[in-house]
Amino acid sequence: MGQFDRIETARLLLRRWQDSDREPFAALNGDPETLVYFPSTLSREQSDAFVDRIESVFEARGYGLWALEVKETGEFIGFTGLSPMPEGVPGSGGTEIGWRLARHAWHHGYATEAARAALDVAFGGAGLPEIWSMTAVLNTPSQAVMRRIGLTEVARFSHPRVPAGSPVRPHVTYHRANPAFAGGS
């Protein structure tokens, strides 16, 4: 498997993280409206630690959650990419496709465009047998992206890392098998 440091779409650049991404990423992660479907926002320290974890996944796997940039302006708008599915959820041990975009980047089709590029890496470049995605049941915009890229809902569950009683604890998992794998899972 190769190293996937940079991917381009018609409007976007998916790339490895730069130090200059940390400040706008911390602002994105500190915005309660952007993280409305998460249990809480992240502090600057938590956001920076997240970038460090993302980069360690790149080093280990050759792909990860790419920083997302609008090609025309060079503006950082969030991330899209591939990461390990956490323990205790449907699809645990597999690879998740996910995204997080700054509010001003919503409703431009960026998440779908970037997710399609990440899916191409997952199935074509990395040769993964399947892909997963999950979100809070309330997060209908992300579920719409999942359906647009060909994923199908497979399970609803209470996320073990979200506090009991939280409105975002009920989660949904989507899945898609790589068509290149006969019989897929």
Side-chain angles (χ1 to χ4, degrees):
M1 177 182 54
Q3 185 79 18
F4 303 96
D5 288 347
R6 182 182 174 97
I7 300 144
E8 291 192 39
T9 69
R11 301 178 297 159
L12 302 169
L13 173 62
L14 290 74
R15 58 164 172 75
R16 294 284 295 266
W17 291 72
Q18 303 167 355
D19 282 340
S20 60
D21 299 328
R22 289 177 181 266
E23 186 174 328
F25 189 52
L28 180 160
N29 286 322
D31 178 8
E33 243 182 281
T34 298
L35 267 62
V36 68
Y37 301 115
F38 289 83
S40 65
T41 58
L42 301 180
S43 69
R44 173 64 191 255
E45 294 75 23
Q46 291 168 318
S47 184
D48 284 347
F50 187 19
V51 172
D52 294 340
R53 286 191 307 276
I54 290 169
E55 278 297 309
S56 71
V57 170
F58 268 107
E59 294 303 321
R61 295 185 174 211
Y63 56 81
L65 297 171
W66 292 277
L68 193 55
E69 180 179 304
V70 177
K71 283 192 332 190
E72 186 177 313
T73 63
E75 179 186 18
F76 170 88
I77 59 169
F79 70 72
T80 304
L82 308 169
S83 63
M85 281 289 277
E87 296 287 323
V89 302
S92 177
T95 300
E96 177 182 16
I97 188 167
W99 45 86
R100 184 177 302 168
L101 275 62
R103 236 181 322 138
H104 69 274
W106 295 356
H107 309 296
H108 295 282
Y110 293 145
T112 301
E113 183 176 330
R116 284 186 176 127
L119 193 61
D120 286 347
V121 169
F123 287 168
L128 299 175
E130 61 189 357
I131 201 76
W132 298 86
S133 196
M134 69 175 175
T135 191
V137 170
L138 296 174
N139 189 350
T140 56
S142 278
Q143 291 178 60
V145 173
M146 293 171 194
R147 289 189 299 273
R148 280 195 290 274
I149 64 169
L151 278 67
T152 304
E153 181 180 332
V154 293
R156 290 183 178 233
F157 66 100
S158 291
H159 198 297
R161 290 195 198 152
V162 178
S166 170
V168 297
R169 188 165 196 213
H171 264 59
V172 59
T173 302
Y174 282 70
H175 174 264
R176 180 175 171 185
N178 184 337
F181 284 69
S185 55

